Amino acid sequence: DGGITQSPKYLFRKEGQNVTLSCEQNLNHDAMYWYRQDPGQGLRLIYYSQIVNDFQKGDIAEGYSVSREKKESFPLTVTSAQKNPTAFYLCASSPWTSGKRTDTQYFGPGTRLTVL
Amino acid sequence: KNEVEQSPQNLTAQEGEFITINCSYSVGISALHWLQQHPGGGIVSLFMLSSGKKKHGRLIATINIQEKHSSLHITASHPRDSAVYICAVSNAGKSTFGDGTTLTVKP
């Protein structure tokens, strides 16, 4: 089955540690995205990547880093510089068909990160 | 003012009731998504709309592009429908999300 995998579903880390969240897709999508959700708030864009080896900052990129070495993978690192890292993190992807980016975003199940 | 506004913020219904959740947006879009988030956080994409109406089981989603408005309807609601329903609009490949509507269906 095609889809987006995020692991783990729940993640606990001590304050001051960097942590990397996994996002893998087998949909052959060019574009991938990371969003953050806080209780009672909507999802906000952290980073996105339109193509391998390229990525752009979203609305709240400070304290985060990403890489896009492979088309199917877009890991997000929450660094110790992120002041409030406890949140729900959602990965998404979308296709690029015939050179035109489409708007159909497919979402992963999410990872809930708790920093103690 | 948010670019995507959902109403109501919270909704409690009795099992079997017909439910409507509304979404209004103020930006140009190419598609609108309805997402369902269950307790524990997992998100499921319910619908992606660019015009008209879509139906899947007891769920119906409509969109009026001219009025910049979409509705999600649930017929014969059930306690397992209890979740947060999120409206998202996308344009040029990026999405903007509403704050969600928390639905509780009581038996």
Side-chain angles (χ1 to χ4, degrees):
Chain A
D1 286 337
I4 301 176
T5 304
Q6 289 185 245
S7 61
K9 187 174 181 179
Y10 299 97
L11 188 57
F12 297 89
R13 279 294 183 270
K14 291 184 178 180
E15 190 174 351
Q17 289 182 334
N18 290 356
V19 58
T20 297
L21 310 184
S22 165
C23 178
E24 304 278 332
Q25 54 98 359
N26 60 6
L27 300 166
N28 200 33
H29 287 173
D30 288 291
M32 297 186 74
Y33 313 81
W34 274 106
Y35 298 93
R36 169 186 170 133
Q37 184 186 43
D38 294 283
Q41 297 187 34
L43 291 154
R44 293 178 291 169
L45 182 64
I46 304 173
Y47 266 100
Y48 66 100
S49 167
Q50 299 172 357
I51 198 168
V52 173
N53 292 323
D54 184 55
F55 47 83
Q56 308 294 329
K57 292 183 179 180
D59 302 320
I60 53 166
E62 185 175 350
Y64 299 97
S65 66
V66 293
S67 63
R68 187 85 188 277
E69 297 177 3
K70 297 186 295 182
K71 186 176 184 178
E72 59 270 23
S73 179
F74 190 40
L76 173 74
T77 297
V78 185
T79 74
S80 56
Q82 169 50 235
K83 298 193 185 312
N84 297 296
T86 294
F88 179 73
Y89 291 88
L90 185 67
C91 178
S93 69
S94 65
W96 187 300
T97 305
S98 300
K100 179 182 177 182
R101 184 171 45 195
T102 72
D103 289 298
T104 307
Q105 286 203 5
Y106 297 78
F107 298 93
T111 293
R112 187 165 298 279
L113 172 66
T114 302
V115 175
L116 306 171
Chain B
K1 191 179 191 302
N2 291 340
E3 292 177 333
V4 180
E5 295 276 354
Q6 285 186 239
S7 63
Q9 189 174 12
N10 295 285
L11 181 57
T12 300
Q14 287 298 128
E15 184 173 358
E17 286 185 356
F18 180 83
I19 288 163
T20 295
I21 300 171
N22 295 300
C23 176
S24 296
Y25 54 92
S26 57
V27 294
I29 71 168
S30 296
L32 182 142
H33 308 257
W34 281 103
L35 311 174
Q36 181 192 56
Q37 184 176 29
H38 278 286
I43 288 184
V44 174
S45 181
L46 298 175
F47 293 104
M48 195 276 289
L49 295 163
S50 54
S51 65
K53 174 181 175 179
K54 286 188 177 180
K55 184 177 189 293
H56 184 251
R58 295 180 293 106
L59 302 177
I60 303 167
T62 64
I63 187 169
N64 185 316
I65 298 295
Q66 287 74 27
E67 295 185 4
K68 295 189 175 180
H69 181 268
S70 175
S71 293
L72 176 68
H73 306 285
I74 304 175
T75 62
S77 59
H78 190 276
R80 65 174 174 266
D81 296 327
S82 298
V84 176
Y85 292 84
I86 301 169
C87 172
V89 298
S90 52
N91 189 21
K94 289 196 288 181
S95 292
T96 304
F97 296 82
D99 288 341
T101 294
T102 301
L103 171 64
T104 303
V105 181
K106 296 185 176 181

